[in-house]
Amino acid sequence: MAEMLRPLVAYTRGAGIDCRWLVIAGSPDFFTITKRLHHALHGSGGDGGPLASAERAVYEEVLAGNLVELEAVVRAGDVVILHDPQTAGLAPGLARLGARVVWRCHIGSETAGARTDAGWAFLERYVTAAELTIFTLREFVPPGCTGRPHRIIRPSIDPPAPKNQELAGGAVRAILVRAGIVEGPPGPAAATYRRSDGSPGRVDRAADIVRLGRAPAMEAPMVLQVSRWDPLKDHAGVMAAFARLPGDTLGNAHLVLAGPSVTSVDDDPEAPEVIAEVLRRWRQLPHDQRRRLQLVQLPMRDVDENGAMVNALQRHATIVVQKSIEEGFGLTAAEAMWKARPVVASPVGGLREQIVDGESGILLSGPRDESGLADALERLLNAPQERRRIGAVAHERVAREFLSARHLLDYAALLRDLASELPGPAARRVRAAEL
Ligand code: UDP
């Protein structure tokens, strides 16, 4: 979500709308509860803890504190777009201030069950205070929102961002060598890219990497999954599938599981546990498999530099995997497809929307389909032409459907529709705030 708001806020301001992005503050308890909600909306068990009155009290208290801050900047008639469960509880208070409140949910599950019901039961009283809700897929709209105004807006990636921009010849190698992910020398090119503000940037930091021995050579095929350290990203499943590949297929191929440095994402309290579990599994692998797998934590101190590293990884990867158990959209797929990589993904959430199986990528038969992943990897590692064909179709699909220009137009239509319901002078004063 942060990934998309950065460019969209900038473009919106560039279009003459006074749009601001505000970020709420929360306590560790609050983020434990919101992560529980995140799991619940995905239909997953999460930490197994309750979503009852004690949790509601913590959730509401933290958001009440944030609302006090917002009262200073939000005026009646402002459009406020709240994102995800963390901010939903602000909707009633903002509506009382006279704001036009929209709640946008970036996650969801295609199948309802006791867990999703529990998550929506917690959120419903807040979400229904918004005058409009937005979901990524029609299947994600919960029963409480189907009869109320809602729309579907699909996410996007931003082509000039450090994460998606073309990298000058040799920069991919230089960045990966600098980060320590492939073996040097860095070659004649510099590890440079263009920052979000247009100024020149250079990758200086090294990644925090667990592997056996030396880094793989630049020439060695790389299978890559980039994702947060979240159990729903099924790192263990990717490792298990890769371990099934026969040695003669593998040659010198290697697997990179990359994610943000583990202490960097405040609202992701599970990350240390997940990476500890991934490490434990890595240690249990036979030596020959362990040496083919690197666990990479990318530094997050400079988000542009982090984006450039993700960019270099995705451009270098022979195959990109996204083996999520559940997925809201799966930006990592769009990012890799934009770079004309063949993506192998679970058939869940937005991954199914992005990938037309066999054309713009490969979809597994289910989110637990490890043997299907192993088969797809084996086939694609040996089929450079098929990789190129899929990559080319994937790039075209993202260019047509999933870039920020389309997303901006969706927001423009939303603001126009909201403004058209206001009296004339107020319509001209529509300001948008993103939270
Ligand atoms: N990402 C990143 N640095 C990392 C790992 C992930 O910038 O070290 C980005 C990734 O490139 C993508 C986003 O985080 O843009 C993850 O979005 P996605 O929709 O794939 O999954 P989510 O994290 O929202 O569940």
Side-chain angles (χ1 to χ4, degrees), residues 1 3 38 163 226-228 233 258-261 298 300 306 310 314 322 327 329-332 335:
M1 186 259 290
E3 192 63 32
H38 175 96
K163 185 171 294 173
V226 177
S227 44
R228 287 179 300 105
K233 306 295 183 183
S261 109
L298 300 170
M300 292 289 288
N306 175 276
V310 171
Q314 289 169 333
Q322 193 56 58
E327 192 59 78
F329 183 68
L331 282 174
T332 50
E335 290 159 4

Side-chain angles (χ1 to χ4, degrees), residues 12-32:
T12 306
R13 291 189 65 83
I17 295 176
D18 178 10
C19 171
R20 332 245 179 108
W21 177 3
L22 307 174
V23 178
I24 58 165
S27 60
D29 281 352
F30 174 81
F31 289 130
T32 300

Side-chain angles (χ1 to χ4, degrees), residues 75-423:
R75 294 201 311 254
D78 285 355
V79 174
V80 181
I81 304 174
L82 301 167
H83 292 268
D84 278 340
Q86 288 93 326
T87 64
L90 291 168
L94 287 165
R96 274 196 300 278
L97 294 177
R100 316 285 309 270
V101 183
V102 176
W103 182 65
R104 182 166 184 188
C105 186
H106 296 270
I107 54 180
S109 171
E110 289 136 293
T111 44
R115 287 168 176 157
T116 53
D117 288 352
W120 288 116
F122 187 97
L123 290 171
E124 190 162 342
R125 68 179 68 170
Y126 314 119
V127 169
T128 49
E131 64 184 277
L132 182 94
T133 51
I134 303 174
F135 296 88
T136 298
L137 302 180
R138 197 152 295 288
E139 293 83 346
F140 288 174
V141 184
C145 295
T146 43
R148 310 172 69 89
H150 65 270
R151 49 181 81 183
I152 307 300
I153 298 184
R154 287 162 318 153
S156 62
I157 62 164
D158 192 43
K163 185 171 294 173
N164 299 311
Q165 64 191 226
E166 284 289 338
L167 289 172
V172 167
R173 177 189 198 114
I175 290 171
L176 294 178
V177 170
R178 177 69 226 158
I181 298 167
V182 302
E183 181 82 343
T192 50
Y193 63 95
R194 216 172 37 261
R195 291 186 158 280
S196 305
D197 65 4
S199 65
R202 189 181 64 196
V203 169
D204 289 315
R205 291 183 176 82
D208 183 344
I209 300 175
V210 177
R211 71 162 168 258
L212 279 186
R214 292 166 57 174
M218 186 72 183
E219 292 65 40
M222 175 197 281
V223 176
L224 170 73
Q225 177 166 295
V226 177
S227 44
R228 287 179 300 105
W229 304 104
D230 182 312
L232 292 175
K233 306 295 183 183
D234 198 19
H235 298 93
V238 182
M239 286 163 75
F242 194 78
R244 286 174 183 237
L245 294 180
D248 55 341
T249 296
L250 276 170
N252 56 353
H254 61 113
L255 171 66
V256 171
L257 295 177
S261 109
V262 83
T263 51
S264 61
V265 186
D266 282 349
D267 69 347
D268 205 353
E270 290 170 307
E273 257 173 63
V274 171
I275 199 158
E277 174 61 16
V278 173
L279 258 170
R280 199 180 59 76
R281 286 175 188 258
W282 177 78
R283 290 210 176 86
Q284 285 170 346
L285 290 173
H287 184 277
D288 183 52
Q289 288 170 13
R290 215 175 336 142
R291 75 181 173 80
R292 293 179 178 280
L293 167 59
Q294 338 188 36
L295 306 175
V296 177
Q297 294 180 53
L298 300 170
M300 292 289 288
R301 288 186 84 95
D302 175 341
V303 286
D304 283 350
E305 182 187 56
N306 175 276
M309 288 182 186
V310 171
N311 191 347
L313 274 168
Q314 289 169 333
R315 286 188 188 280
H316 177 57
T318 313
I319 303 167
V320 171
V321 174
Q322 193 56 58
K323 200 191 161 299
S324 306
I325 305 295
E326 292 279 346
E327 192 59 78
F329 183 68
L331 282 174
T332 50
E335 290 159 4
M337 290 164 74
W338 175 242
K339 291 155 194 140
R341 300 295 91 196
V343 177
V344 183
S346 307
V348 292
L351 294 170
R352 221 154 38 83
E353 178 91 0
Q354 296 179 70
I355 294 178
V356 179
D357 186 27
E359 293 179 22
S360 54
I362 306 281
L363 287 178
L364 303 174
S365 68
R368 310 268 175 194
D369 183 13
E370 281 169 20
S371 68
L373 176 55
D375 290 348
L377 292 177
E378 181 172 1
R379 199 180 72 242
L380 286 175
L381 278 169
N382 289 313
Q385 270 190 347
E386 187 181 357
R387 295 202 301 267
R388 270 195 296 279
R389 175 182 63 75
I390 290 177
V393 178
H395 174 82
E396 286 308 313
R397 181 158 175 80
V398 173
R400 261 196 328 272
E401 311 262 353
F402 302 117
L403 297 186
S404 30
R406 189 232 72 226
H407 204 162
L408 195 65
L409 291 175
D410 287 344
Y411 266 126
L414 173 83
L415 293 176
R416 186 196 56 216
D417 293 350
L418 287 173
S420 69
E421 294 161 21
L422 291 171

